[in-house]
Amino acid sequence: MVSIVAALAQSVLSGVEERVGETLARSKRGAVLGGIAGLLLLTAYILAVIGVCVSLARHYGAPAALFGVAVGAAVVGLVLIAVLIELNRRDARRYRKRRRQMEARRQLAALAAGTAARRPLATATLGLALALLLGSRSRRHRD
């Protein structure tokens, strides 16, 4: 006879196995369809670039059209690189600011621990300050 605990454990494990199987099947399907969509979008992009080159070649000649499209692609690429560099700088500034804030919190916690044994009233005050400083903060911002 199977105990109720074993039956519950078996039920939970079979539910987990089913969810894992469903998740894997969904992930495989998403990866295959995403790959096909990406390949089709890449093909459309290449054909659009060729179409632009052919259209420009009618007016300016083939070499000028190819160089024009190449220069345009290079400019767009350089702009994207500049945007990426600026985003990385902004993230680095945020990281440094968070690191300084965490260091200040650690120093405040060390100060509170150091005075805890000597001054109970100061300890209570610092504990209240720490509770207010480290308290739960909502990450949602109001508009």
Side-chain angles (χ1 to χ4, degrees), residues 46-71:
I46 290 170
L47 290 174
V49 169
I50 291 171
V52 167
C53 283
V54 168
S55 176
L56 290 174
R58 286 184 190 164
H59 297 289
Y60 303 108
L66 290 174
F67 284 125
V69 170
V71 168

Side-chain angles (χ1 to χ4, degrees), residues 25 41 44 52 54 57 66-67 70 101 103 108 113 127 130 137:
L41 288 173
V52 167
V54 168
L66 290 174
F67 284 125
Q101 288 174 346
E103 183 62 30
L108 186 58
L130 275 174
R137 294 181 184 175

Side-chain angles (χ1 to χ4, degrees), residues 28-86:
K28 287 178 186 177
R29 182 179 59 234
V32 168
L33 292 178
I36 291 171
L39 182 64
L40 290 173
L41 288 173
L42 180 64
T43 303
Y45 171 75
I46 290 170
L47 290 174
V49 169
I50 291 171
V52 167
C53 283
V54 168
S55 176
L56 290 174
R58 286 184 190 164
H59 297 289
Y60 303 108
L66 290 174
F67 284 125
V69 170
V71 168
V75 167
V76 170
L78 291 173
V79 167
L80 288 176
I81 289 172
V83 167
L84 180 63
I85 288 171
E86 182 56 35

Side-chain angles (χ1 to χ4, degrees), residues 65-117:
L66 290 174
F67 284 125
V69 170
V71 168
V75 167
V76 170
L78 291 173
V79 167
L80 288 176
I81 289 172
V83 167
L84 180 63
I85 288 171
E86 182 56 35
L87 289 175
N88 286 341
R89 284 183 186 162
R90 186 184 69 182
D91 289 344
R93 283 192 301 265
R94 285 182 180 173
Y95 176 74
R96 284 191 301 268
K97 182 179 177 182
R98 280 191 215 124
R99 192 174 55 206
R100 283 192 305 265
Q101 288 174 346
M102 289 303 293
E103 183 62 30
R105 288 179 183 173
R106 274 185 288 232
Q107 289 175 357
L108 186 58
L111 178 65
T115 48

